[in-house]
């Protein structure tokens, strides 16, 4: 297996890898039809096996989405994905370690990422030194069908035909109140790691 820089020619295989890798986690509905382009410098790597992309990592340096900038130059890890049949073989660790090395060379002092409550992902990030910032945890809530109306200001919206799904964010303290009204709730967690 080879870890190498992402190339524009990888775009279609990158998308396939991300979609398939995300199918068995809480990000299954976060389907992309194009790979993001970052406004700041980035470290974008892929793991390739026999001409096939089996893993990927994208990290944006100096991202506008950093929660804190008081520890020096920072970066946000946007994507880390490995195809199911290549998991538990060190692919994610190899991708992260190569990306981390490049971040250090660029003078990055801290890396952040957002993930949800997927057990495997949380364990992995903890195993490579990331720590959860408990005070930054929040909920992503999904209401469907008639439940959506409980959250909408119908007079302000005017005449509409029933919404199918409403996705909104809320403080973690509201979980018990929102659970009966939502079809799905994901706990979103901020992880940080000093490099």
């Amino acid at each position: 297996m080879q870890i190498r820089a992402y190339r524009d020619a990888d775009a279609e295989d990158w998308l396939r890898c991300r979609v398939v890798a995300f199918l068995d986690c809480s990000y299954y509905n976060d389907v992309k039809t194009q790979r993001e382009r970052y406004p700041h410098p980035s470290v974008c790597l892929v793991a390739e096996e026999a001409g096939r992309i089996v893993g990927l990592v994208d990290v944006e340096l100096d991202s506008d989405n950093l929660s804190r900038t008081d520890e020096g130059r920072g970066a946000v890890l946007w994507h880390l994905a490995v195809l199911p049949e290549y998991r538990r073989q060190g692919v994610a660790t190899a991708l992260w370690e190569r990306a981390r090395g490049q971040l250090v060379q660029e003078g990055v002092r801290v890396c952040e990422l957002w993930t949800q409550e997927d057990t495997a992902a949380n364990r992995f990030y903890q195993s490579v030194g990331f720590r959860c910032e408990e005070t930054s945890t929040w909920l992503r809530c999904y209401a469907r069908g008639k439940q959506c109306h409980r959250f909408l200001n119908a007079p302000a919206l005017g005449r509409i035909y029933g919404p199918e799904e409403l996705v909104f964010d809320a403080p973690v303290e509201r979980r018990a109140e929102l659970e009966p009204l939502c079809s799905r709730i994901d706990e979103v967690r901020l992880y940080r790691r000093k490099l």
Side-chain angles (χ1 to χ4, degrees):
M1 180 180 38
Q2 173 190 15
I3 305 291
R4 63 167 176 80
Y6 169 85
R7 299 185 288 246
D8 287 340
D10 297 326
E12 190 174 323
D13 288 338
W14 185 97
L15 285 169
R16 275 195 196 111
C17 180
R18 186 183 182 279
V19 166
V20 172
F22 280 21
L23 282 177
D24 62 353
C25 76
S26 65
Y27 284 103
Y28 66 88
N29 60 324
D30 185 23
V31 175
K32 306 286 184 198
T33 58
Q34 291 184 345
R35 186 178 163 275
E36 292 93 343
R37 299 214 180 263
Y38 305 104
H40 301 285
S42 58
V43 173
C44 301
L45 305 171
V46 295
E48 184 179 14
E49 177 76 25
R52 179 180 183 208
I53 293 178
V54 301
L56 57 94
V57 64
D58 284 4
V59 187
E60 181 187 16
L61 288 67
D62 308 314
S63 174
D64 297 331
N65 293 84
L66 283 162
S67 69
R68 292 179 17 206
T69 56
D70 59 340
E71 295 179 292
R73 191 171 190 198
V76 172
L77 192 159
W78 287 112
H79 304 288
L80 178 59
V82 176
L83 292 176
E85 61 270 29
Y86 288 89
R87 292 180 188 158
R88 303 185 90 50
Q89 298 177 31
V91 178
T93 301
L95 284 162
W96 165 245
E97 287 301 324
R98 179 75 63 85
R100 187 179 71 79
Q102 290 184 21
L103 295 172
V104 168
Q105 286 179 338
E106 293 291 329
V108 172
R109 304 282 315 253
V110 66
C111 187
E112 296 182 347
L113 65 92
W114 291 93
T115 194
Q116 294 178 168
E117 47 196 309
D118 298 295
T119 303
N122 283 265
R123 282 185 187 149
F124 172 77
Y125 291 125
Q126 291 168 2
S127 77
V128 295
F130 282 89
R131 297 292 168 249
C132 187
E133 299 277 320
E134 299 287 337
T135 59
S136 296
T137 299
W138 47 275
L139 302 176
R140 175 163 291 135
C141 306
Y142 298 78
R144 291 185 182 263
K146 293 180 181 180
Q147 294 292 22
C148 294
H149 292 285
R150 294 177 180 250
F151 301 103
L152 298 176
N153 180 344
L157 283 173
R159 184 174 178 207
I160 64 168
Y161 300 108
E164 291 180 31
E165 185 173 57
L166 176 67
V167 181
F168 61 94
D169 301 333
V172 75
E173 300 81 33
R174 294 191 63 196
R175 181 184 282 271
E177 167 197 353
L178 294 170
E179 278 180 338
L181 306 173
C182 295
S183 58
R184 172 180 164 196
I185 296 178
D186 292 320
E187 189 173 291
V188 182
R189 301 168 179 168
L190 172 65
Y191 277 84
R192 303 183 91 244
R193 181 184 195 262
K194 291 183 181 180
L195 303 178

